[in-house]
Amino acid sequence: MTAKLLILDDDHDILLMLKTIFTGEEYELLLESDSEGALKRIIADRPNVAIMDISLPQKSGIEVLKEAKKIDPGLAVIMATGYKTTQNAIEAMKHGAFDYVTKPFDMSKLKGAVKKALECNLLSRKVRYTKERPQAEEDLTEDLMIGSSPEMIEIWKMVGTVADSDATVLIQGESGTGKELLARAIYNNSRRKNRPFLAVNCAALPEALLESELFGHEKGAFTDAHSRRIGKFEQCNGGTIFLDEVGEMSPANQGKFLRVLENQEFERVGGNETIKVDVRVIAATNRSLLASVKEKSFRMDLFYRLRVVNFFLPPLRDRVEDIPLLVDLFVKKFAKKYGKNVKGVAPDTMALLMNHQFEGNIRELKNVINSAVVFCRGDILVPGDFESFLTAKAGFKEVDLEVVGDDYYEVFWSMLEPVFDGICAKNKGAIYESVNMGLEKALIHMAMEKSNNNQVFAAKLLGISRNTLRDRLERYRIGVGEPS
């Protein structure tokens, strides 16, 4: 029996091209240019495989996909689009598409996809159908994860496939690649999206505090436990918890965490009551957990229990074609935030960004665009707006005081953001103290240098009393020369 291939596209040139490509491939071709005709074909002819365009004049391709899967759940559908958007890929896979391809077609890959889809159909593998959920409008006030590179398309397809399951997810990738944003994309496309989503950075808290943060504690469990505390797992019942830098967890906490994964139960610190929860876990790490297992710093059973579904987020340098999309998003975001009429970037600016090695990945790119928009005087970002940010690792070479005003929040945010993860890992539970001491020490020393080590002038410059200045000089051991 000849396999039937349905092709739905309102572009007649594409229909003719695909007819030419698949003629002689031992398929019976069913060509349709409108959605209703395609649905009637599915009812009457029961094709094995369908290639459907997402952009159609009457109904969207996603709507046709959903109706087609109701008619024949076993139909293997390949969605095609010329618009490389994140949500399209996720929605297509969520609603049961077998694959998602982009135009212009790579014909060898398209033929391969059709062949695999046919094998799937002939083996009667049921493709899951999930309930329709309207797509949320883009909100520039929130961080979004986008990308249309081949690597990211595969990730979006995978998100659509696994989002509605309760499977534990492990996300691996370098710092700044957007692991929490991917976790939120999984959450936002899951049936738990109306339940809590809580994120915990395991590297930012010492062992005892992390245990209390995750599992809660009873009154009197330790010195500062003046009242009962409900932990994140309990707060997140019915929802999704995101554990960033899970590889930093102590062996003791790993054991307790493993129990939650296996049995969905735990006890608060200092308590005996067993608490049952229903929580989906998404974990992330920027280090090799397999290496940690070999070094015996991470439990093997926990490692395998975590990676039921495993994502690897590629660094920005491996998907440079996504940089224009990200730049456009961040320019719009920060122009709106600061009330500026910045419309985009000049071509030579984009070339500069495309050629830059963003060691801090998307986080660094976002920081660079943020800074450039703050100090931009025109409506287009030019290379000069980026020079100091792309050539200096720390801070700004030049600050426009008229633009900054009296609030240095953006300046310090830009300085701290690229190194914040490292500070968290190095100063667990003491970030506030460490950063404030460092900033104060730098201010005192800089004022002394600018005042030629004259304490009276330095105190006036800083706006503090001379006694306070002397106290800080002694505390930080700042003398006439370099600080110790």
Side-chain angles (χ1 to χ4, degrees):
M1 182 178 175
T2 305
K4 296 177 182 179
L5 172 61
L6 169 67
I7 302 175
L8 169 60
D9 200 303
D10 63 324
D11 188 326
H12 289 277
D13 290 336
I14 290 180
L15 280 179
L16 289 174
M17 178 185 67
L18 293 179
K19 179 181 179 181
T20 302
I21 293 297
F22 285 103
T23 297
E25 292 285 331
E26 299 183 356
Y27 299 116
E28 179 185 339
L29 298 179
L30 311 173
L31 306 180
E32 292 292 338
S33 59
D34 71 90
S35 54
E36 292 304 324
L39 291 170
K40 288 176 182 176
R41 282 277 199 172
I42 293 169
I43 295 170
D45 296 306
R46 294 283 167 169
N48 302 88
V49 180
I51 301 172
M52 296 183 182
D53 187 30
I54 280 183
S55 300
L56 297 169
Q58 289 91 21
K59 294 181 178 178
S60 73
I62 297 294
E63 290 176 310
V64 179
L65 166 67
K66 289 185 287 190
E67 292 189 32
K69 298 301 287 185
K70 287 180 180 178
I71 297 167
D72 180 8
L75 176 64
V77 181
I78 298 169
M79 301 302 296
T81 181
Y83 302 96
K84 302 176 181 179
T85 66
T86 295
Q87 198 60 32
N88 272 347
I90 293 176
E91 288 294 314
M93 301 311 289
K94 272 179 61 184
H95 293 297
F98 176 79
D99 207 344
Y100 175 90
V101 296
T102 57
K103 300 175 182 179
F105 296 121
D106 180 321
M107 291 306 172
S108 62
K109 288 183 179 179
L110 182 60
K111 285 184 177 181
V114 170
K115 184 178 179 182
K116 288 180 181 177
L118 178 60
E119 291 172 357
C120 170
N121 177 268
L122 294 177
L123 288 169
S124 299
R125 288 170 53 187
K126 301 297 181 183
V127 182
R128 176 179 46 81
Y129 170 76
T130 57
K131 293 182 180 179
E132 178 180 2
R133 185 154 53 231
Q135 179 175 333
E137 293 183 5
E138 181 181 52
D139 185 354
L140 292 175
T141 63
E142 295 182 2
D143 279 343
L144 302 170
M145 190 172 200
I146 62 173
S148 62
S149 59
E151 296 87 352
M152 293 307 296
I153 291 295
E154 290 304 312
I155 284 173
W156 301 135
K157 285 158 58 176
M158 196 169 164
V159 167
T161 303
V162 307
D164 263 346
S165 75
D166 286 329
T168 304
V169 175
L170 177 63
I171 303 172
Q172 301 182 78
E174 293 179 9
S175 180
T177 48
K179 295 186 288 295
E180 181 172 346
L181 296 182
L182 177 55
R184 288 184 181 275
I186 296 169
Y187 161 74
N188 286 330
N189 287 278
S190 76
R191 60 172 175 261
R192 294 175 181 258
K193 69 170 293 184
N194 295 319
R195 302 294 296 165
F197 177 95
L198 298 177
V200 179
N201 188 328
C202 299
L205 297 168
E207 179 181 350
L209 285 180
L210 179 61
E211 183 182 15
S212 175
E213 183 76 7
L214 294 178
F215 309 113
H217 63 250
E218 297 289 353
K219 181 178 180 180
F222 46 84
T223 305
D224 293 325
H226 302 301
S227 60
R228 171 186 283 180
R229 174 186 172 86
I230 303 300
K232 289 292 192 287
F233 274 104
E234 208 169 339
Q235 295 173 38
C236 207
N237 192 22
T240 302
I241 191 167
F242 173 64
L243 300 179
D244 198 9
E245 301 312 331
V246 70
E248 301 298 326
M249 227 182 238
S250 70
N253 282 337
Q254 288 177 35
K256 201 163 184 178
F257 176 38
L258 179 62
R259 184 184 170 198
V260 178
L261 287 180
E262 291 180 337
N263 305 318
Q264 293 279 295
E265 63 181 34
F266 60 92
E267 287 86 35
R268 300 189 192 101
V269 179
N272 297 315
E273 178 190 357
T274 298
I275 298 159
K276 297 283 291 184
V277 289
D278 172 23
V279 176
R280 186 191 194 171
V281 173
I282 303 176
T285 180
N286 62 11
R287 57 189 285 188
S288 170
L289 287 188
L290 192 56
S292 298
V293 168
K294 291 178 180 177
E295 295 165 1
K296 305 205 181 294
S297 61
F298 199 82
R299 295 178 60 137
M300 182 182 292
D301 49 1
L302 178 55
F303 171 66
Y304 287 113
R305 188 65 184 78
L306 277 176
R307 55 172 295 179
V308 175
V309 176
N310 189 30
F311 285 87
F312 175 76
L313 269 177
L316 192 55
R317 61 182 173 275
D318 289 346
R319 52 185 186 102
V320 292
E321 58 264 61
D322 285 338
I323 289 179
L325 288 172
L326 292 162
V327 168
D328 181 62
L329 174 69
F330 293 145
V331 168
K332 288 177 181 175
K333 175 186 175 76
F334 294 117
K336 180 179 180 181
K337 179 177 179 179
Y338 302 124
K340 291 204 163 189
N341 189 33
V342 181
K343 299 173 181 176
V345 301
D348 48 351
T349 305
M350 186 62 75
L352 178 71
L353 294 170
M354 294 279 282
N355 290 323
H356 182 72
Q357 290 293 313
F358 286 98
E359 295 177 13
N361 293 296
I362 297 171
R363 184 183 291 120
E364 182 185 352
L365 174 62
K366 178 184 173 184
N367 174 58
V368 163
I369 299 295
N370 185 0
S371 302
V373 171
V374 168
F375 296 106
C376 177
R377 290 181 175 276
D379 59 359
I380 295 292
L381 297 177
V382 296
D385 293 322
F386 291 86
E387 183 180 355
S388 60
F389 316 132
L390 295 180
T391 57
K393 283 291 179 185
F396 306 104
K397 287 183 177 178
E398 224 173 281
V399 173
D400 189 330
L401 295 178
E402 291 183 8
V403 174
V404 172
D406 296 327
D407 185 357
Y408 295 97
Y409 165 82
E410 292 299 335
V411 177
F412 293 129
W413 178 282
S414 299
M415 291 177 179
L416 280 171
E417 191 174 30
V419 296
F420 191 69
D421 283 349
I423 293 172
C424 289
K426 187 177 180 182
N427 301 277
K428 293 182 181 180
I431 301 168
Y432 183 83
E433 182 181 357
S434 299
V435 171
N436 271 300
M437 284 179 63
L439 176 60
E440 186 176 50
K441 182 176 180 180
L443 278 172
I444 297 293
H445 183 237
M446 199 170 292
M448 288 293 289
E449 281 198 342
K450 294 293 182 184
S451 305
N452 293 318
N453 297 308
N454 185 307
Q455 293 183 13
V456 174
F457 290 160
K460 287 183 178 179
L461 179 63
L462 292 166
I464 60 178
S465 70
R466 191 174 179 187
N467 286 337
T468 300
L469 176 62
R470 284 173 175 165
D471 174 72
R472 299 302 188 272
L473 291 172
E474 183 178 344
R475 177 183 304 179
Y476 299 124
R477 298 193 297 277
I478 298 174
V480 175
E482 292 295 317
S484 57

